[in-house]
């Protein structure tokens, strides 16, 4: 157990000075005694006078020593103790207050010595000097106490130092001046005594001059020798302190005999948070931060004095809330070789902070574990991808073989081709997932921001998702709340990719008779931007908390999920990245066995010049009834009707609709039109329409609202008296069209009567540059099916030659593959644009390539191409693009 040190190194200059003076006085006294004994018979009188002079000299020297000590403590208080106490706010710290009390006590002792021995030039001047010193000492103490009060709560060190300079400095200067007067008087008295003594000795004993010179020479030699030794010791001590402050390691010198610390390096606070003074007061203070196991090992290392070589151990030290990993080394200092006991009397104990190194090693180990996990995850991903890709590939190869075998059976071939198409699309979706993730991780993913028709977007989304839910006998519903705008600014393709991914997952993990919903809510509408929330919810299998913790990690997927449901495990990772890159957020809530809800919040812009609401008709005489069991749909319909100036009422069931219509007829204000939801519990829309006709006759138009394909009930609904159909979710334009057509019932249209888009490019001729003959054959077949005349080139050079040899205006458009032998598509385009003919600069040239990065599109534009079509070719997109350039 470490004990409080019996004798500790100190920095007190007074103690060092007293020690050196005691050594010099003892040597001088010994020399004088020897000389006096040898010359006693002849210099008794001179020796007696010398002793009296020395006795008198002691008085002013003692006074000067005491004054010097008071001045040193005054400077220590002004320059170190008081500023440190105020700046570090240790005004109530017991250790600091105790230190100040000890300094005050030493000042009083020194003042008592001065009061006792100070002679002064005269008695009056002595009393005046003592009074001035006492007054100055009291003024300094009062100013110090006032400084503690005035500086309480002041956090600026600069303000504290300015205050001390203004209030403590003058009083300290007064005290210093009083001390200086006393020391000057003492020096004067010393000189007077010395001159008188030397004069007396010279007059009385001339013969002793030689002895005095020898004595003086001896004293000078001893003093010089001592001063030289002291300078060397001070220099080594300064170097030692500089070393201890500079190095990171902390070291102690431990005395095995007395079991205490002889020395503690000055940098101990940097490591342990304990000052040197605290170590010297209590050597066992370090043990409070050690663990019980470490304390036992610590004691064992220090108690073993038989060590002959250095030993080291790893220990842990608790500094506040931080645990430090330290390396403790003990270097034994052996006793003299001649001594019988050769055990270590002292040891140097060194502590090295290796917390960062240990943490770095732990981080490396964690990184290694994560790397192994990532590698395993990628291996699992590759295995799944191999399975996922081979499955549609096997189907494509197998169906192709079967179709070739049954070429005469049209139905069998058609069935094979249909399955080949499905498998090809599935294979393409797998490849797209991998490519999308690669583009995101490579920072090459691009976004387009432009206006798009939100109504068309929702209708397209419904057309994709509804057939899938219908095939799995699932209920699918889309609702919109608080949004009346139909044109938004953003990337509709990426939004479509996100929602289809989430909805496809919901369909995949929801059993038959389950429910999938997409609820769209307008959270805020500020100026030219809106914040929309998309909530995709299902009643499927749900997810565990552990699975949700790695939900968005690419390449990771539960083996059971992969085996039972398929997929690459990349969809949600891509979705999360897309949402983040579009400045949105995504959250998920899920309960195992009950379902999952993904919530997206994403900003969209509004067109700078939004189209004004259509108000060409007067709506004041119109009244609308909306019947839907979904309250959100009713509220949204009321909002849209209010915006176009139409009065509306809403109910949540068929019986309520009948009652509302009956009350309106009795009041003489029949509804202009009734919107009835198809699938309502209890009484559905068709039955409600049939009963409404019994009450209101044929006068009131009845429109069925449905988010489903109503072709299966259209005939029955018409018989029941339904005039038309409108798709969910409702939009301002769709309501406006129905209400506007009420003015002309014979022109009432429904969404079910929209004509299909047809493309007819007769009398149009294009040049197709494609080096792959299979792709060329497919493209020609597709293009000719739309009435196009197609010429083919097998490489870029051939395409340039064919165009150069053609007549002006012979070709209406060029489809240019980018990667071709002899001359690639970019070079071929540049060559065509450089031809000296009138149509070379204007003929539309469209790039066809599987490279769909932004850089590829930009390269195509730089080469002079007008547009870009991604492979594999999407036929609707192809025909829309051709129609744009060939119209």
């Amino acid at each position: 157990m470490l004990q409080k040190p019996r004798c500790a190194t100190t920095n007190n200059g007074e103690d060092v000075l007293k020690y050196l003076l005691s050594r010099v006085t003892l040597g001088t006294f010994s020399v004088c005694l020897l000389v006096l004994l040898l010359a006693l018979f002849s210099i008794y009188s001179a020796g007696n006078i010398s002793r009296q002079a020395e006795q008198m000299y002691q008085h002013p020297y003692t006074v000067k020593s005491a004054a010097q000590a008071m001045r040193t403590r005054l400077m220590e208080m002004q320059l170190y103790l008081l500023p440190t106490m105020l700046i570090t706010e240790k005004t109530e710290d017991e250790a600091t207050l105790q230190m100040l009390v000890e300094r005050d006590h030493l000042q009083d002792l020194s003042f008592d010595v001065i009061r006792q021995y100070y002679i002064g030039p005269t008695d009056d001047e002595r009393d005046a000097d003592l009074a001035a010193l006492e007054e100055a000492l009291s003024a300094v103490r009062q100013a110090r106490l006032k400084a503690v009060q005035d500086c309480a709560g002041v956090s600026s060190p600069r303000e504290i130092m300015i205050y001390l300079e203004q209030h403590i400095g003058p009083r300290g200067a007064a005290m210093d001046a009083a001390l200086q007067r006393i020391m000057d008087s003492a020096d004067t008295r010393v000189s007077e005594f010395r001159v008188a003594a030397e004069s007396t000795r010279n007059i009385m004993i001339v013969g002793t001059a030689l002895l005095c010179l020898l004595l003086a020479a001896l004293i000078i030699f001893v003093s010089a020798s001592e001063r030289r030794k002291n300078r060397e010791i001070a220099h080594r001590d300064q170097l030692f302190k500089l070393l201890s402050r500079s190095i990171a390691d902390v070291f102690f010198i431990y005395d095995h005999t007395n079991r205490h610390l002889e020395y503690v390096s000055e940098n101990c606070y940097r490591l342990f948070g304990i000052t040197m003074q605290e170590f010297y007061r209590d050597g066992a203070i370090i043990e409070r931060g050690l663990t019980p196991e470490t304390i036992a090992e610590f004691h064992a290392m220090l108690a073993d004095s038989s060590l002959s070589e250095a030993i080291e151990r790893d220990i842990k030290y608790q500094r506040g809330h931080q645990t430090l990993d330290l390396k403790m080394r003990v270097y034994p200092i052996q006793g003299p070789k001649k001594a019988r006991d050769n055990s270590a009397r002292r040891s140097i104990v060194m502590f090295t902070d290796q917390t960062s190194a240990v943490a770095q090693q732990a981080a490396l180990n964690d990184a290694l574990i994560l790397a192994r996990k990532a590698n395993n995850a990628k291996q699992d991903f590759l295995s799944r991808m191999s399975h996922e890709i081979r499955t549609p590939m096997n189907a494509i190869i197998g169906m192709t073989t079967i179709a070739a075998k049954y070429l005469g059976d049209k139905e069998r071939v058609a069935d094979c081709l249909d399955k080949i198409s499905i498998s090809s699309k599935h294979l393409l979706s797998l490849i797209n997932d991998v490519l999308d993730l690669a583009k995101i991780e490579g920072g090459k993913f691009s976004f387009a921001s432009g206006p798009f028709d939100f109504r068309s977007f929702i209708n397209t989304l419904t057309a994709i998702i509804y057939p899938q839910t219908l095939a799995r006998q699932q209920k699918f519903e889309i609702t919109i709340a608080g949004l009346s705008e139909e044109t938004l600014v953003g990337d509709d393709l990426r939004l479509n990719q996100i929602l289809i991914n989430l909805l496809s997952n919901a369909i995949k993990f929801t059993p038959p008779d389950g429910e999938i919903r997409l609820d769209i809510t307008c959270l805020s509408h500020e100026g030219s931007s809106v914040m929309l929330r998309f909530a995709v919810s299902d009643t499927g299998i749900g997810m565990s908390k552990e699975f949700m913790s790695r939900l968005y990690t690419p390449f990771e997927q539960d083996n059971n999920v992969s085996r039972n449901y398929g997929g690459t495990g990349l969809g949600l990772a891509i979705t999360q990245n897309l949402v983040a890159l579009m400045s949105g957020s995504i959250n998920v809530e899920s309960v195992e066995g009950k379902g999952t809800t993904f919530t997206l919040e994403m900003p969209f812009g509004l067109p700078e010049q939004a189209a004004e609401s259509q108000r060409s008709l007067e709506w004041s005489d119109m009244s609308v009834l909306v019947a839907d069991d979904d309250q959100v749909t009713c509220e949204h319909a009321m909002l849209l009707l209010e915006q176009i100036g139409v009065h509306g009422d809403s109910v949540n069931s068929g019986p309520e609709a009948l009652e509302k219509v009956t009350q309106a007829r009795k009041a003489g204000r029949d509804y202009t039109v009734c919107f009835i939801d198809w699938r309502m519990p209890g009484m559905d829309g068709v039955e409600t329409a049939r009963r409404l006709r019994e009450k209101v006759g044929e006068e009131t138009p009845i429109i069925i609202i449905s988010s489903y394909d109503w072709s299966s009930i259209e005939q029955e609904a018409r018989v029941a008296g339904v005039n038309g159909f409108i798709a969910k979710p409702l939009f301002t334009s769709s309501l406006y069209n129905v209400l506007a057509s009420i003015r002309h019932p014979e022109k009432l249209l429904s969404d079910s009567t929209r004509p299909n888009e047809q493309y007819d490019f007769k009398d149009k001729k294009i040049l197709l540059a494609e080096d792959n003959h299979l792709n060329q054959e497919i493209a020609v077949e597709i293009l000719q099916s739309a009435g196009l005349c197609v010429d083919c080139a097998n490489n870029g050079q051939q395409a340039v030659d064919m165009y150069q040899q053609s007549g002006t205006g012979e070709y209406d458009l060029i489809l240019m593959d980018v990667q071709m032998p002899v001359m690639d598509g970019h070079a071929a385009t540049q060559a065509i644009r450089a031809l000296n003919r009138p149509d070379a600069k204007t003929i539309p040239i469209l790039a066809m390539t599987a490279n769909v990065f932004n850089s590829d599109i930009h390269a195509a534009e730089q080469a002079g191409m007008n547009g870009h079509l991604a492979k594999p070719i999407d036929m609707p997109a192809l025909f829309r693009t051709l129609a744009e350039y060939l119209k």
Side-chain angles (χ1 to χ4, degrees):
M1 185 75 175
L2 291 176
Q3 299 177 349
K4 183 176 179 180
R6 299 177 183 177
C7 180
T9 302
T10 176
N11 294 325
N12 194 322
E14 179 187 2
D15 293 341
V16 175
L17 185 60
K18 284 183 176 180
Y19 171 76
L20 295 176
L21 287 175
S22 65
R23 294 289 299 274
V24 172
T25 302
L26 180 60
T28 304
F29 178 77
S30 300
V31 173
C32 291
L33 180 61
L34 176 61
V35 173
L36 289 174
L37 289 175
L38 294 175
L40 185 62
F41 66 97
S42 61
I43 58 171
Y44 175 76
S45 297
N48 187 40
I49 294 174
S50 178
R51 285 193 299 274
Q52 291 177 356
E54 187 171 349
Q55 185 177 3
M56 294 177 65
Y57 175 76
Q58 184 68 25
H59 289 212
Y61 175 76
T62 302
V63 169
K64 183 176 181 181
S65 177
Q68 181 66 43
M70 289 186 70
R71 171 186 269 182
T72 301
R73 285 191 286 272
L74 172 64
M75 293 177 65
E76 182 183 17
M77 184 275 291
Q78 282 183 293
L79 300 178
Y80 174 70
L81 290 178
L82 187 57
T84 301
M85 178 178 70
L86 294 178
I87 291 174
T88 59
E89 300 182 358
K90 290 190 175 181
T91 55
E92 296 180 4
D93 184 69
E94 292 183 4
T96 304
L97 294 176
Q98 181 64 27
M99 189 178 300
L100 289 175
V101 170
E102 292 176 358
R103 292 295 187 275
D104 288 343
H105 179 64
L106 292 175
Q107 292 289 69
D108 291 338
L109 292 179
S110 297
F111 182 72
D112 290 341
V113 170
I114 294 173
R115 192 200 308 273
Q116 181 180 355
Y117 293 107
Y118 181 56
I119 299 175
T122 64
D123 291 341
D124 292 340
E125 289 179 346
R126 171 186 180 277
D127 295 336
D129 290 342
L130 291 176
L133 178 59
E134 185 175 13
E135 181 180 357
L137 179 61
S138 176
V140 169
R141 289 178 177 173
Q142 291 177 0
R144 187 190 70 206
L145 294 175
K146 190 172 184 303
V148 172
Q149 297 174 354
D150 292 346
C151 293
V154 177
S155 60
S156 172
R158 178 176 176 82
E159 293 181 8
I160 291 174
M161 295 305 297
I162 292 174
Y163 178 91
L164 294 179
E165 183 178 355
Q166 293 176 350
H167 295 83
I168 301 298
R171 291 165 178 78
M175 182 175 173
D176 186 79
L179 290 171
Q180 186 63 46
R181 286 194 298 273
I182 291 173
M183 289 188 291
D184 290 343
S185 177
D187 289 339
T188 302
R189 180 66 63 179
V190 169
S191 299
E192 291 175 356
F193 285 158
R194 180 178 295 170
V195 171
E198 289 178 356
S199 176
T200 302
R201 283 197 301 271
N202 289 333
I203 293 172
M204 293 178 62
I205 309 173
V206 177
T208 60
L210 182 59
L211 293 175
C212 289
L213 291 174
L214 291 175
L215 180 61
L218 182 59
I219 292 173
I220 292 172
F221 174 77
V222 172
S223 298
S225 178
E226 289 292 330
R227 284 196 299 271
R228 185 166 57 252
K229 291 180 180 178
N230 291 335
R231 282 197 300 269
E232 292 177 356
I233 292 173
H235 180 65
R236 286 196 296 267
D237 185 61
Q238 186 67 24
L239 292 177
F240 191 70
K241 289 180 179 179
L242 179 62
L243 176 64
S244 67
R245 286 194 297 265
S246 301
I247 64 174
D249 295 345
V250 174
F251 56 91
F252 303 157
I253 297 179
Y254 178 69
D255 185 346
H256 289 279
T257 303
N258 299 313
R259 299 175 63 194
H260 71 264
L261 298 177
E262 285 189 352
Y263 179 82
V264 179
S265 60
E266 292 187 10
N267 61 348
C268 57
Y269 186 83
R270 188 165 57 202
L271 182 59
F272 294 107
I274 304 172
T275 64
M276 291 175 59
Q277 291 77 10
E278 290 174 319
F279 269 115
Y280 286 133
R281 282 195 299 270
D282 182 8
I285 192 172
I286 189 176
E287 299 178 9
R288 298 171 190 169
L290 303 178
T291 61
E293 300 81 4
T294 306
I295 290 177
E297 192 167 11
F298 180 73
H299 285 165
M301 293 176 70
L302 291 183
D304 189 1
S305 61
S306 62
L307 294 175
S308 59
E309 57 183 16
I311 60 173
E312 62 180 34
R313 296 288 187 275
D314 291 327
I315 64 173
K316 290 187 179 295
Y317 182 80
Q318 190 71 31
R319 179 178 177 178
H321 299 292
Q322 182 183 12
T323 300
L324 303 179
D325 292 286
L326 305 180
K327 176 77 71 176
M328 177 180 172
R329 299 181 179 89
V330 178
Y331 299 91
I333 302 176
Q334 304 295 335
K337 295 182 178 180
K338 297 180 179 181
R340 295 182 179 179
D341 184 7
N342 198 28
S343 60
R345 297 183 180 181
R346 292 178 178 82
S347 293
I348 298 177
V349 184
M350 182 173 290
F351 296 93
T352 302
D353 185 5
Q354 55 182 10
T355 305
S356 298
V358 172
Q360 185 177 11
Q361 185 61 43
L364 290 174
N365 292 336
D366 291 342
L368 179 60
I369 294 173
L370 290 176
R372 288 173 178 171
K373 287 184 177 180
N375 184 61
N376 292 336
K378 289 188 177 182
Q379 291 294 336
D380 293 340
F381 167 75
L382 291 175
S383 297
R384 290 196 306 272
M385 282 299 298
S386 175
H387 171 75
E388 292 293 328
I389 291 175
R390 287 175 182 275
T391 299
M393 283 297 296
N394 287 337
I396 293 171
I397 295 172
M399 288 298 105
T400 303
T401 303
I402 294 173
K405 185 177 180 180
Y406 295 95
L407 292 177
D409 189 342
K410 293 184 177 181
E411 292 184 1
R412 188 68 177 269
V413 171
D415 179 65
C416 290
L417 292 176
D418 184 55
K419 292 176 180 177
I420 289 172
S421 176
I422 294 173
S423 298
S424 300
K425 291 177 180 178
H426 176 56
L427 181 60
L428 180 61
S429 70
L430 296 177
I431 296 172
N432 284 337
D433 279 351
V434 177
L435 293 178
D436 283 347
L437 184 63
K439 286 186 287 184
I440 290 172
E441 292 184 344
K444 298 181 179 180
F445 210 86
S446 61
F447 293 91
S449 181
F452 64 95
D453 188 334
F454 192 60
R455 177 189 175 190
S456 298
F457 173 83
I458 294 298
N459 290 338
T460 302
L461 187 67
T462 304
I464 295 173
I465 298 300
Y466 172 67
Q468 299 179 44
T469 59
L470 183 65
R472 293 175 61 90
Q473 300 177 352
Q474 296 166 337
K475 182 180 179 182
F476 176 56
E477 190 81 21
I478 298 180
T479 66
I480 299 179
L483 179 67
S484 58
E485 288 80 5
E486 294 189 25
T487 302
L488 301 179
V489 177
D491 193 332
D492 58 326
L493 294 178
R494 298 307 177 195
L495 178 62
N496 183 72
Q497 182 179 357
I498 292 169
L499 293 179
I500 285 184
N501 196 347
L502 295 177
L503 289 168
S504 297
N505 278 348
I507 295 171
K508 182 193 301 185
F509 297 113
T510 301
D513 298 327
E515 181 179 358
I516 292 106
R517 292 182 61 90
L518 171 59
D519 298 304
I520 305 171
T521 307
C522 180
L523 298 179
S524 64
H525 190 311
E526 299 180 0
S528 60
S529 64
V530 292
M531 178 66 75
L532 301 185
R533 175 192 292 154
F534 300 86
V536 178
S537 57
D538 62 64
T539 58
I541 61 175
M543 294 179 287
S544 65
K545 292 183 178 180
E546 188 277 332
F547 184 81
M548 284 193 291
S549 66
R550 50 190 175 87
L551 186 63
Y552 303 115
T553 304
F555 308 115
E556 289 197 14
Q557 188 181 63
D558 187 271
N559 288 330
N560 292 328
V561 172
S562 175
R563 182 169 53 253
N564 296 328
Y565 297 96
T568 63
L570 299 179
L572 289 176
I574 295 172
T575 297
Q576 185 199 37
N577 280 280
L578 289 178
V579 171
L581 292 172
M582 294 175 70
S583 302
S585 63
I586 182 170
N587 294 293
V588 61
E589 296 180 0
S590 184
V591 178
E592 287 189 88
K594 294 187 177 181
T596 302
T597 298
F598 283 91
T599 303
L600 311 175
E601 292 185 4
M602 303 180 68
F604 292 90
L606 297 174
E608 294 182 1
Q609 296 179 347
E612 295 183 359
S613 299
Q614 295 173 324
R615 297 292 181 89
S616 59
L617 298 177
E618 180 59 41
W619 309 103
S620 60
D621 60 340
M622 301 189 76
S623 178
V624 174
L625 175 66
V626 177
D628 197 307
D629 61 304
D630 184 37
Q631 184 60 29
V632 174
T633 299
C634 291
E635 292 175 357
H636 182 61
M638 294 301 102
L639 172 65
L640 300 181
L641 291 170
E642 181 182 355
Q643 288 187 342
I644 59 178
V646 176
H647 170 72
D649 295 322
S650 66
V651 294
N652 299 120
S653 66
E656 289 178 331
L658 294 175
E659 182 179 356
K660 202 76 174 177
V661 168
T662 302
Q663 292 175 355
R665 166 148 291 200
K666 289 180 180 179
R669 49 178 183 83
D670 285 342
Y671 287 106
T672 307
V673 61
C674 295
F675 291 95
I676 310 297
D677 183 37
W678 171 15
R679 293 190 174 179
M680 292 188 294
M683 185 185 296
D684 65 14
V686 176
E687 180 62 24
T688 302
R690 183 179 293 110
R691 298 192 184 186
L692 282 176
R693 282 284 173 245
E694 295 174 356
K695 292 183 178 293
V696 300
E698 300 296 328
E699 299 177 3
T700 302
I702 300 176
I703 308 298
I704 289 292
I705 308 172
S706 177
S707 24
Y708 306 94
D709 179 11
W710 52 76
S711 58
S712 61
I713 63 157
E714 184 172 3
Q715 184 176 358
E716 179 186 0
R718 297 286 186 186
V719 173
V722 173
N723 299 89
F725 299 86
I726 189 170
K728 275 188 182 181
L730 300 176
F731 288 90
T732 304
S733 59
S734 57
L735 283 175
Y736 180 90
N737 290 336
V738 172
L739 295 176
S741 66
I742 296 298
R743 301 295 184 182
H744 304 281
E746 72 280 2
K747 296 182 181 180
L748 182 63
L749 297 176
S750 70
D751 288 355
S752 63
T753 61
R754 293 178 181 174
N756 294 326
E757 292 183 342
Q758 297 292 334
Y759 297 98
D760 187 1
F761 300 119
K762 290 181 179 179
D763 302 326
K764 300 293 183 181
K765 184 176 182 180
I766 69 173
L767 174 61
L768 171 65
E770 170 65 66
D771 64 301
N772 186 288
H773 293 287
L774 181 59
N775 290 343
Q776 190 180 102
E777 181 181 351
I778 294 172
V780 169
E781 184 68 27
I782 293 173
L783 294 170
Q784 288 179 347
S785 68
L788 285 165
C789 179
V790 184
D791 286 344
C792 296
N794 297 320
N795 57 63
Q797 183 61 58
Q798 189 176 351
V800 175
D801 295 340
M802 291 177 65
Y803 181 76
Q804 190 173 12
Q805 296 168 8
S806 67
T808 302
E810 179 179 346
Y811 290 115
D812 298 289
L813 183 142
I814 300 175
L815 291 177
M816 183 76 71
D817 186 25
V818 172
Q819 294 182 346
M820 292 184 293
V822 184
M823 180 183 291
D824 63 28
H826 293 158
T829 300
Q830 292 171 344
I832 291 174
R833 295 299 187 202
L835 293 176
N836 186 19
R837 52 185 291 173
D839 57 346
K841 301 289 191 298
T842 59
I843 184 171
I845 302 178
L846 303 180
M848 294 193 307
T849 177
N851 298 331
V852 291
F853 294 131
N854 273 346
S855 57
D856 302 310
I857 298 175
H858 180 68
E861 293 174 352
Q862 291 294 105
M865 296 183 180
N866 301 87
H868 186 277
L869 293 170
K871 289 184 178 181
I873 299 298
D874 181 1
M875 286 196 295
L878 170 64
F879 287 138
R880 284 195 302 268
T881 304
L882 291 177
E884 180 182 348
Y885 287 99
L886 296 177
K887 62 184 176 180

